[in-house]
Amino acid sequence: MNSLIKVTNLNKTFYFQKKKLNILRNINIDIKKGEMVALLGPSGSGKSTFLHMIGLLDKPTSGQIYFQEKITNKMNENEKDQIRRKNISIIYQQNNLLNDFTSLENVSIAMISANQNKKLSITKSTKILNKVGLNSRLEHFPSDLSGGEQQRVAIARAFVNEPNLILADEPTGSLDQKTAKEIFSLFLKLKSQKRTIIYATHNRELANKADYKLLINNGSIKRLNA
Ligand SMILES: Nc1ncnc2c1ncn2[C@@H]1O[C@H](COP(=O)(O)OP(=O)(O)OP(=O)(O)O)[C@@H](O)[C@H]1O
Ligand SMILES: [Mg+2]
């Protein structure tokens, strides 16, 4: 009950120079609504790969991915796009902001393109940028922001639509501990609204704030209870 993302018998292989790389092997996982999950594992273990698949941006080599108990494998791009737009926000490891747009525009566009009223989008985006400490950087372009500031714009953009699922790929990688903690309090607030957050991290302290951890190692994923 209340399954948000369920993965069964999932395998992911890549080919590189004709060599087969088994990145994920026979993964079975059920992530429930409202859970906050930390994704751990050494560099190259498959964290980003896993997040991209459950964000429906990449396909497993074999196995099933269910979103809200519906199988996604046979959905066309349009159907997956619908699910993503309504439910999922991704904070990428490389934050991929739009370079020709200011902080405020980068965030408000996410709302406007979800058919929200423009004025409301700007008000709400301003508010959330304040919350991540960027009130004096609203008109800056990504190239005029520090790495950590860019990351915070990307976080604000992911939060502004209050999605059911946030996938965050090392969202606090370029942030100092204090700022990272402030960002985390936003995560916790979303969790209290029954949103699901899955975040990859190398930071032990932040990983400990999760309900439980998933450790990827040598192709398998092990659940570690907090
Ligand atoms: N398109 C691809 N073709 C071949 N190999 C790939 C491809 N994409 C990823 N890989 C390999 O898959 C492995 C897992 O990559 P992934 O980006 O998921 O790791 P990660 O756990 O996110 O690492 P990090 O902590 O460094 O971000 C890596 O060894 C990478 O080289
Ligand atoms: Mg990664």
Side-chain angles (χ1 to χ4, degrees), residues 14-16 21 23 41-49 93 170 202:
F14 288 118
Y15 283 88
F16 190 71
L21 303 169
I23 302 300
S43 175
S45 57
K47 300 180 297 296
S48 297
T49 304
Q93 198 164 8
E170 297 186 38
H202 289 290

Side-chain angles (χ1 to χ4, degrees), residues 36-52:
M36 187 150 138
V37 182
L39 191 57
L40 308 177
S43 175
S45 57
K47 300 180 297 296
S48 297
T49 304
F50 181 69
L51 288 175
H52 289 160

Side-chain angles (χ1 to χ4, degrees), residues 51-225:
L51 288 175
H52 289 160
M53 284 189 290
I54 58 181
L56 310 183
L57 295 168
D58 191 10
K59 285 183 188 155
T61 307
S62 63
Q64 296 76 34
I65 298 176
Y66 298 84
F67 187 85
Q68 292 177 336
E69 300 183 356
K70 276 194 218 104
I71 189 154
T72 62
N73 294 57
K74 296 214 168 97
M75 290 180 182
N76 61 35
E77 282 313 310
N78 199 16
E79 289 169 292
K80 284 196 241 177
D81 201 45
Q82 291 275 344
I83 294 187
R84 278 199 302 264
R85 223 175 317 170
K86 278 200 205 129
N87 300 284
I88 308 176
S89 279
I90 302 181
I91 303 167
Y92 295 92
Q93 198 164 8
Q94 274 79 31
N95 61 47
N96 74 349
L97 299 174
L98 302 166
N99 286 322
D100 298 332
F101 292 86
T102 65
S103 305
L104 181 55
E105 287 166 344
N106 262 287
V107 177
S108 57
I109 278 168
M111 266 187 93
I112 292 166
S113 59
N115 292 324
Q116 300 284 345
N117 167 282
K118 191 171 171 196
K119 205 166 156 198
L120 176 79
S121 301
I122 289 173
T123 314
K124 195 165 169 206
S125 301
T126 305
K127 215 163 152 187
I128 191 137
L129 281 162
N130 277 339
K131 278 199 192 141
V132 298
L134 293 178
N135 35 319
S136 61
R137 296 289 183 272
L138 301 183
E139 303 301 328
H140 284 229
F141 292 92
S143 57
D144 304 327
L145 295 170
S146 74
E149 286 169 344
Q150 291 176 27
Q151 209 163 30
R152 282 183 275 160
V153 175
I155 290 165
R157 180 178 60 181
F159 277 48
V160 77
N161 286 326
E162 300 174 21
N164 287 322
L165 174 62
I166 288 203
L167 301 173
D169 203 348
E170 297 186 38
T172 58
S174 348
L175 302 180
D176 59 274
Q177 195 72 5
K178 179 170 169 282
T179 314
K181 277 191 181 158
E182 282 164 13
I183 297 292
F184 245 76
S185 65
L186 295 176
F187 277 42
L188 288 167
K189 198 166 153 218
L190 276 191
K191 177 182 152 58
S192 73
Q193 299 164 359
K194 275 287 191 191
R195 318 285 175 173
T196 306
I197 301 147
I198 307 170
Y199 59 102
T201 185
H202 289 290
N203 182 315
R204 193 180 292 248
E205 193 179 335
L206 295 180
N208 285 337
K209 294 188 190 284
D211 294 318
Y212 60 90
K213 301 167 202 163
L214 293 175
L215 174 65
I216 308 191
N217 208 357
N218 291 325
S220 52
I221 300 188
K222 212 164 62 186
R223 177 171 165 155
L224 311 171
N225 288 316

